[in-house]
Coordinates of all heavy atoms in Angstrom, one line a residue:
A128 N 93.1 86.8 86.4 CA 93.3 86.5 87.8 C 93.1 87.8 88.5 O 93.3 88.9 88.0 CB 94.7 85.9 88.1
V129 N 92.7 87.7 89.8 CA 92.6 88.8 90.7 C 93.4 88.6 91.9 O 93.4 87.5 92.5 CB 91.1 89.0 91.2 CG1 90.9 90.2 92.0 CG2 90.2 89.0 90.0
V130 N 94.1 89.7 92.3 CA 94.8 89.7 93.6 C 94.0 90.6 94.5 O 93.9 91.8 94.3 CB 96.3 90.2 93.5 CG1 96.9 90.3 94.9 CG2 97.1 89.4 92.5
F131 N 93.4 90.0 95.5 CA 92.6 90.7 96.5 C 93.6 91.1 97.6 O 94.2 90.3 98.4 CB 91.5 89.8 97.2 CG 90.5 89.4 96.2 CD1 90.5 88.1 95.6 CD2 89.5 90.2 95.8 CE1 89.6 87.7 94.7 CE2 88.5 89.8 94.9 CZ 88.6 88.5 94.3
M132 N 93.9 92.4 97.6 CA 94.9 93.0 98.5 C 94.3 93.5 99.8 O 93.7 94.6 99.8 CB 95.6 94.1 97.8 CG 96.7 94.9 98.6 SD 97.3 96.3 97.6 CE 98.5 97.0 98.7
F133 N 94.3 92.8 100.8 CA 93.8 93.2 102.1 C 95.0 93.8 102.9 O 95.9 93.2 103.3 CB 93.3 92.0 102.9 CG 92.0 91.5 102.3 CD1 92.0 90.4 101.4 CD2 90.8 92.0 102.6 CE1 90.9 89.9 100.9 CE2 89.6 91.5 102.0 CZ 89.7 90.4 101.2
Q134 N 95.0 95.2 103.0 CA 96.2 95.9 103.4 C 96.0 96.6 104.7 O 95.1 97.3 105.0 CB 96.4 97.0 102.3 CG 97.6 97.9 102.6 CD 97.4 99.3 102.2 OE1 97.1 99.6 101.0 NE2 97.7 100.2 103.1
P135 N 97.0 96.4 105.6 CA 97.1 97.2 106.8 C 97.8 98.5 106.6 O 98.3 98.8 105.6 CB 97.9 96.2 107.8 CG 98.8 95.6 106.8 CD 98.1 95.4 105.5
G136 N 97.9 99.3 107.7 CA 98.8 100.4 107.8 C 98.6 101.5 106.8 O 99.6 102.2 106.5
E137 N 97.4 101.7 106.3 CA 97.2 102.9 105.4 C 97.3 104.2 106.1 O 97.8 105.2 105.5 CB 95.8 102.8 104.7 CG 95.6 103.8 103.5 CD 95.3 105.2 104.0 OE1 94.5 105.3 105.0 OE2 95.7 106.2 103.4
E138 N 96.9 104.2 107.3 CA 96.8 105.5 108.1 C 98.2 105.9 108.6 O 98.4 106.0 109.8 CB 95.8 105.4 109.2 CG 94.4 105.2 108.8 CD 93.8 106.4 108.1 OE1 94.4 107.5 108.1 OE2 92.6 106.3 107.6
G139 N 99.1 106.1 107.7 CA 100.4 106.6 108.1 C 101.5 105.6 108.4 O 102.6 106.0 108.8
F140 N 101.2 104.3 108.1 CA 102.2 103.3 108.4 C 102.8 102.6 107.2 O 103.5 101.6 107.3 CB 101.6 102.2 109.3 CG 101.2 102.8 110.7 CD1 100.0 103.4 111.0 CD2 102.1 102.7 111.7 CE1 99.7 103.8 112.2 CE2 101.8 103.1 113.0 CZ 100.6 103.7 113.3
F141 N 102.5 103.1 106.0 CA 103.2 102.7 104.7 C 102.9 101.2 104.4 O 103.7 100.5 103.9 CB 104.7 102.9 104.8 CG 105.1 104.3 105.0 CD1 105.2 104.9 106.2 CD2 105.3 105.1 103.9 CE1 105.6 106.2 106.4 CE2 105.7 106.5 104.0 CZ 105.8 107.0 105.3
G142 N 101.7 100.8 104.8 CA 101.3 99.4 104.5 C 101.4 99.0 103.1 O 101.9 97.8 102.8
A143 N 100.9 99.8 102.2 CA 101.0 99.4 100.8 C 102.4 99.2 100.3 O 102.7 98.3 99.6 CB 100.3 100.5 99.9
R144 N 103.3 100.2 100.7 CA 104.7 100.1 100.3 C 105.3 98.8 100.8 O 106.0 98.1 100.1 CB 105.5 101.3 100.8 CG 106.9 101.4 100.2 CD 107.6 102.5 100.8 NE 108.0 102.1 102.2 CZ 108.6 103.0 103.1 NH1 108.8 104.3 102.7 NH2 108.9 102.6 104.3
L145 N 105.0 98.4 102.1 CA 105.6 97.2 102.7 C 105.1 96.0 101.9 O 105.8 95.0 101.7 CB 105.2 97.2 104.1 CG 105.9 98.3 105.0 CD1 105.3 98.3 106.4 CD2 107.4 98.0 105.0
M146 N 103.8 96.0 101.6 CA 103.3 94.8 100.8 C 103.9 94.7 99.5 O 104.2 93.6 99.0 CB 101.8 94.9 100.7 CG 101.0 94.7 102.0 SD 99.2 94.5 101.8 CE 99.1 92.8 101.1
L147 N 104.2 95.8 98.8 CA 104.9 95.8 97.5 C 106.3 95.3 97.7 O 106.8 94.5 96.9 CB 104.9 97.2 96.9 CG 103.5 97.7 96.4 CD1 103.6 99.2 96.0 CD2 103.1 96.9 95.1
E148 N 107.0 95.7 98.7 CA 108.3 95.3 99.0 C 108.4 93.8 99.3 O 109.4 93.2 99.0 CB 108.9 96.1 100.1 CG 109.2 97.6 99.8 CD 109.7 98.4 101.0 OE1 109.6 97.9 102.1 OE2 110.0 99.6 100.8
E149 N 107.3 93.3 99.8 CA 107.3 91.8 100.1 C 106.9 91.0 98.9 O 106.8 89.8 99.0 CB 106.4 91.6 101.3 CG 106.7 90.2 101.9 CD 106.0 90.0 103.3 OE1 105.8 91.0 104.0 OE2 105.6 88.8 103.6
G150 N 106.6 91.7 97.8 CA 106.4 90.9 96.6 C 104.9 90.8 96.2 O 104.6 89.8 95.4
L151 N 104.1 91.7 96.6 CA 102.7 91.7 96.2 C 102.5 91.5 94.7 O 101.7 90.6 94.3 CB 102.0 93.0 96.7 CG 100.5 93.1 96.2 CD1 99.6 92.2 97.1 CD2 100.1 94.5 96.2
L152 N 103.2 92.2 93.9 CA 102.9 92.1 92.4 C 103.5 90.9 91.8 O 103.3 90.6 90.6 CB 103.5 93.4 91.8 CG 102.8 94.7 92.2 CD1 103.4 95.9 91.5 CD2 101.3 94.7 92.2
D153 N 104.3 90.1 92.6 CA 104.9 88.9 92.0 C 104.1 87.7 92.6 O 104.5 86.5 92.4 CB 106.4 88.8 92.5 CG 107.2 89.9 91.9 OD1 107.0 90.2 90.7 OD2 108.1 90.4 92.6
T154 N 103.0 87.9 93.2 CA 102.2 86.9 93.8 C 101.6 85.9 92.7 O 101.4 84.8 92.9 CB 101.0 87.5 94.6 OG1 101.5 88.3 95.6 CG2 100.1 86.4 95.2
V155 N 101.4 86.5 91.5 CA 100.7 85.7 90.5 C 101.4 86.0 89.1 O 101.9 87.1 88.9 CB 99.2 86.0 90.4 CG1 98.9 87.4 90.1 CG2 98.5 85.0 89.5
D156 N 101.4 85.0 88.2 CA 101.9 85.2 86.9 C 100.7 85.0 85.9 O 100.0 84.0 86.0 CB 103.0 84.2 86.6 CG 103.6 84.4 85.2 OD1 103.5 85.5 84.7 OD2 104.1 83.4 84.7
P157 N 100.3 86.0 85.1 CA 101.1 87.2 84.7 C 101.0 88.2 85.8 O 100.0 88.3 86.5 CB 100.5 87.6 83.4 CG 99.0 87.1 83.5 CD 99.1 85.8 84.2
R158 N 102.0 89.1 85.8 CA 102.0 90.2 86.8 C 100.8 91.1 86.5 O 100.4 91.3 85.4 CB 103.3 90.9 86.6 CG 103.7 91.9 87.7 CD 105.1 92.4 87.4 NE 105.7 93.2 88.5 CZ 105.6 94.5 88.6 NH1 104.9 95.2 87.7 NH2 106.1 95.1 89.7
P159 N 100.3 91.7 87.6 CA 99.1 92.6 87.4 C 99.4 93.7 86.4 O 100.5 94.3 86.4 CB 98.9 93.1 88.8 CG 99.4 92.1 89.7 CD 100.6 91.5 89.0
T160 N 98.4 94.0 85.6 CA 98.5 95.1 84.7 C 97.4 96.2 84.9 O 97.2 97.1 84.1 CB 98.3 94.6 83.2 OG1 97.1 93.9 83.2 CG2 99.5 93.7 82.8
G161 N 96.7 96.1 86.1 CA 95.7 97.1 86.4 C 95.5 97.1 87.9 O 95.7 96.0 88.6
A162 N 94.9 98.1 88.5 CA 94.7 98.2 89.9 C 93.5 99.1 90.2 O 93.3 100.2 89.5 CB 95.9 98.7 90.6
F163 N 92.6 98.8 91.1 CA 91.5 99.5 91.4 C 91.2 99.5 92.9 O 91.3 98.5 93.6 CB 90.3 99.0 90.7 CG 89.0 99.8 90.9 CD1 88.9 101.1 90.5 CD2 87.8 99.1 91.4 CE1 87.7 101.8 90.7 CE2 86.7 99.8 91.6 CZ 86.6 101.2 91.2
A164 N 90.9 100.7 93.5 CA 90.5 100.8 94.9 C 89.4 101.8 95.0 O 89.3 102.8 94.2 CB 91.7 101.2 95.7
M165 N 88.6 101.7 96.0 CA 87.5 102.7 96.3 C 87.7 103.1 97.8 O 88.1 102.4 98.6 CB 86.2 102.1 96.1 CG 85.8 101.9 94.7 SD 84.2 101.0 94.5 CE 84.7 99.3 94.7
H166 N 87.3 104.4 98.0 CA 87.3 104.9 99.4 C 85.9 105.6 99.7 O 85.5 106.5 99.0 CB 88.4 106.0 99.5 CG 88.8 106.2 100.9 ND1 87.9 106.5 101.9 CD2 90.0 106.0 101.5 CE1 88.6 106.6 103.1 NE2 89.9 106.3 102.9
V167 N 85.3 105.1 100.7 CA 84.0 105.6 101.0 C 84.1 107.0 101.6 O 85.1 107.3 102.3 CB 83.2 104.7 102.0 CG1 82.9 103.4 101.4 CG2 84.0 104.5 103.3
T168 N 83.1 107.8 101.4 CA 83.1 109.2 102.0 C 81.6 109.6 102.1 O 80.7 109.3 101.3 CB 83.8 110.1 101.1 OG1 83.7 111.5 101.6 CG2 83.3 110.1 99.6
T169 N 81.4 110.4 103.2 CA 80.1 111.1 103.3 C 80.0 112.4 102.5 O 79.0 113.1 102.6 CB 79.8 111.4 104.8 OG1 80.8 112.2 105.3 CG2 79.8 110.1 105.6
W170 N 81.0 112.7 101.8 CA 81.0 113.9 101.0 C 80.0 113.8 99.8 O 79.5 114.8 99.3 CB 82.3 114.2 100.4 CG 83.4 114.6 101.3 CD1 83.2 115.0 102.6 CD2 84.8 114.7 101.1 NE1 84.4 115.3 103.2 CE2 85.4 115.2 102.2 CE3 85.6 114.4 99.9 CZ2 86.8 115.4 102.3 CZ3 86.9 114.6 100.0 CH2 87.5 115.1 101.2
F171 N 79.7 112.5 99.4 CA 78.9 112.3 98.1 C 77.7 111.4 98.4 O 77.7 110.6 99.3 CB 79.8 111.7 97.1 CG 81.1 112.5 96.8 CD1 82.3 111.9 96.7 CD2 81.0 113.9 96.6 CE1 83.5 112.6 96.5 CE2 82.2 114.6 96.3 CZ 83.4 113.9 96.3
T172 N 76.7 111.5 97.5 CA 75.5 110.7 97.6 C 75.8 109.3 97.6 O 76.7 108.8 96.8 CB 74.6 111.1 96.4 OG1 74.3 112.5 96.4 CG2 73.3 110.3 96.5
S173 N 75.1 108.5 98.4 CA 75.4 107.1 98.6 C 75.3 106.3 97.3 O 74.3 106.5 96.5 CB 74.5 106.5 99.6 OG 74.8 105.2 99.9
G174 N 76.3 105.5 97.0 CA 76.3 104.7 95.8 C 76.9 105.3 94.6 O 77.1 104.6 93.6
T175 N 77.2 106.6 94.6 CA 77.8 107.2 93.4 C 79.3 107.2 93.5 O 79.9 107.1 94.6 CB 77.4 108.7 93.3 OG1 77.8 109.4 94.5 CG2 75.9 108.8 93.2
L176 N 79.9 107.2 92.3 CA 81.4 107.2 92.2 C 81.9 108.5 91.7 O 81.3 109.1 90.8 CB 81.9 106.1 91.3 CG 82.0 104.6 91.7 CD1 82.6 103.8 90.6 CD2 82.8 104.5 93.0
Q177 N 83.0 109.0 92.3 CA 83.6 110.2 91.8 C 85.1 110.0 91.8 O 85.7 109.4 92.7 CB 83.3 111.4 92.6 CG 81.8 111.8 92.5 CD 81.5 113.2 92.9 OE1 82.4 114.1 92.8 NE2 80.3 113.5 93.2

Side-chain angles (χ1 to χ4, degrees):
V129 183
V130 178
F131 298 99
M132 177 187 179
F133 292 94
Q134 181 215 308
E137 189 280 323
E138 297 290 356
F140 292 88
F141 299 88
R144 190 187 73 188
L145 292 171
M146 289 190 73
L147 289 169
E148 290 173 353
E149 198 170 328
L151 173 79
L152 300 183
D153 299 319
T154 301
V155 61
D156 184 24
R158 195 173 189 268
T160 54
F163 182 59
M165 286 174 281
H166 203 303
V167 295
T168 174
T169 60
W170 290 348
F171 306 130
T172 302
S173 187
T175 61
L176 280 185
Q177 294 202 20

